[in-house]
């Protein structure tokens, strides 16, 4: 007993003489960023396909008028950004409905395809998707995964009498890379973009859909997106959308005229 007490006293004395190092200082900014990421992830997981994004807008959207050819644009940020007033494309005079959501992948779009496309009773749907799948926004995706989801959306549309325009994935570039940043051509390799566009073109031809080629007119001599068409090597700027506008108009008219 006395020996145990002596050992304890010795250890206590040593501990007092050699206190543990103080904990590292808390980086408040890093902690705040981590908490923000956790909160954002929680929000996304509670509505992973973001069905709530357009729920109220869909509820308030009147049915198409007699003779109206409503067009729904389904996609990711490239479609989502296009509806901003500064581009002047989605105006009340056109029966066009934008249902793009930034950052989305094809499985998310497939889940919301019924409320955000079919239930709106369009004549044509323009589907622009795949770049975020390649980047792995919602996890690793093979080209076959992307293609199955695109085919499922096209099949759903066709089953409901909606004409389909399959838009090519737009090119990427590496002209505006931030210091220590990752080039878009690394996260979204052009080889995979080309492969999926080739599949889309053949699938559209085999199934009576319209293939819309945004890809080729946006390329420069190096085979990348022209530097003047984008500010971040991924999203089109006003000049980029100016090229896309007439191309999608022609594709829509071709789809409307098809049997």
């Amino acid at each position: 007993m006395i020996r145990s007490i002596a050992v304890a006293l010795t250890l206590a004395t040593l501990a007092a003489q050699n206190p543990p190092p103080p904990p590292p200082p808390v980086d408040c900014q890093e902690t705040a960023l981590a908490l923000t990421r956790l909160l954002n992830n929680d929000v996304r997981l509670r509505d992973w396909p973001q069905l709530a994004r357009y729920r109220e807008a869909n509820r308030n959207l009147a049915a198409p008028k007699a003779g109206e050819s409503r067009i729904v644009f389904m996609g990711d940020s490239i479609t989502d950004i296009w509806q901003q007033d500064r581009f002047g494309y989605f105006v009340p005079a056109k029966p066009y409905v934008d249902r793009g959501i930034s950052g989305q992948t094809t499985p998310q779009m497939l889940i919301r395809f019924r409320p955000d496309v079919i239930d709106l009773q369009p004549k044509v749907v323009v589907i622009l998707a795949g770049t975020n799948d390649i980047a792995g926004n919602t996890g690793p995706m093979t080209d076959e995964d992307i293609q199955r989801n695109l085919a499922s959306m096209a099949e759903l549309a066709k089953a409901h009498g909606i004409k389909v325009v399959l838009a090519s994935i737009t090119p990427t570039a590496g002209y505006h890379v931030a210091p220590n940043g990752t080039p878009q051509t690394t996260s979204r390799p052009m080889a995979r973009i080309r492969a999926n566009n080739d599949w889309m073109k053949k699938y559209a031809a085999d199934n009576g859909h319209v293939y819309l080629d945004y890809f080729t007119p946006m390329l420069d001599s190096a085979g990348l997106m022209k530097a003047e068409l984008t500010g971040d090597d991924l999203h089109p700027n006003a000049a980029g959308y100016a090229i896309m506008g007439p191309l999608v108009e022609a594709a829509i008219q071709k789809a409307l005229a098809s049997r």
Side-chain angles (χ1 to χ4, degrees), residues 71-73 79 82-85 87-94 96-99:
I71 315 297
V72 172
F73 289 66
T79 299
W82 205 353
Q83 64 185 308
Q84 294 178 7
D85 291 342
F87 296 115
Y89 187 75
F90 287 85
V91 295
K94 295 178 181 178
Y96 293 175
V97 180
D98 189 306
R99 289 296 179 261

Side-chain angles (χ1 to χ4, degrees), residues 96-237:
Y96 293 175
V97 180
D98 189 306
R99 289 296 179 261
I101 297 182
S102 180
Q104 283 216 322
T105 55
T106 56
Q108 292 173 303
M109 294 180 207
L110 180 56
I111 291 173
R112 64 185 182 88
F113 198 81
R114 185 174 296 274
D116 286 352
V117 177
I118 295 171
D119 290 353
L120 306 186
Q121 305 173 54
K123 295 290 187 182
V124 177
V125 59
V126 179
I127 303 171
L128 173 56
T131 190
N132 291 328
D133 299 68
I134 293 173
N137 278 23
T138 52
M141 294 280 287
T142 67
D143 290 345
E144 290 75 18
D145 293 331
I146 299 169
Q147 293 158 16
R148 280 190 286 264
N149 289 332
L150 289 171
S152 293
M153 284 188 271
E155 288 169 7
L156 279 169
K158 189 173 184 177
H160 288 82
I162 302 167
K163 303 294 184 181
V164 177
V165 174
L166 283 173
S168 68
I169 302 171
T170 52
T172 56
Y175 300 126
H176 305 88
V177 185
N180 301 317
T182 302
Q184 291 292 351
T185 47
T186 298
S187 55
R188 296 169 169 84
M190 289 287 282
R192 288 194 66 186
I193 292 174
R194 288 181 183 275
N196 281 284
N197 286 346
D198 289 344
W199 175 87
M200 269 188 265
K201 185 175 182 179
K202 183 178 186 305
Y203 178 84
D206 291 345
N207 291 275
H209 306 313
V210 174
Y211 174 68
L212 167 55
D213 183 10
Y214 287 139
F215 182 83
T216 305
M218 301 181 84
L219 293 176
D220 63 12
S221 59
L224 304 174
M225 183 185 274
K226 295 175 182 176
E228 65 270 22
L229 300 183
T230 177
D232 63 2
D233 300 325
L234 173 64
H235 299 96
N237 55 22

Side-chain angles (χ1 to χ4, degrees), residues 51-58 80 83 98-101 116:
L51 293 168
R53 165 70 188 275
Y54 290 111
R55 183 175 288 137
E56 195 63 25
N58 291 342
D80 195 353
Q83 64 185 308
D98 189 306
R99 289 296 179 261
I101 297 182
D116 286 352

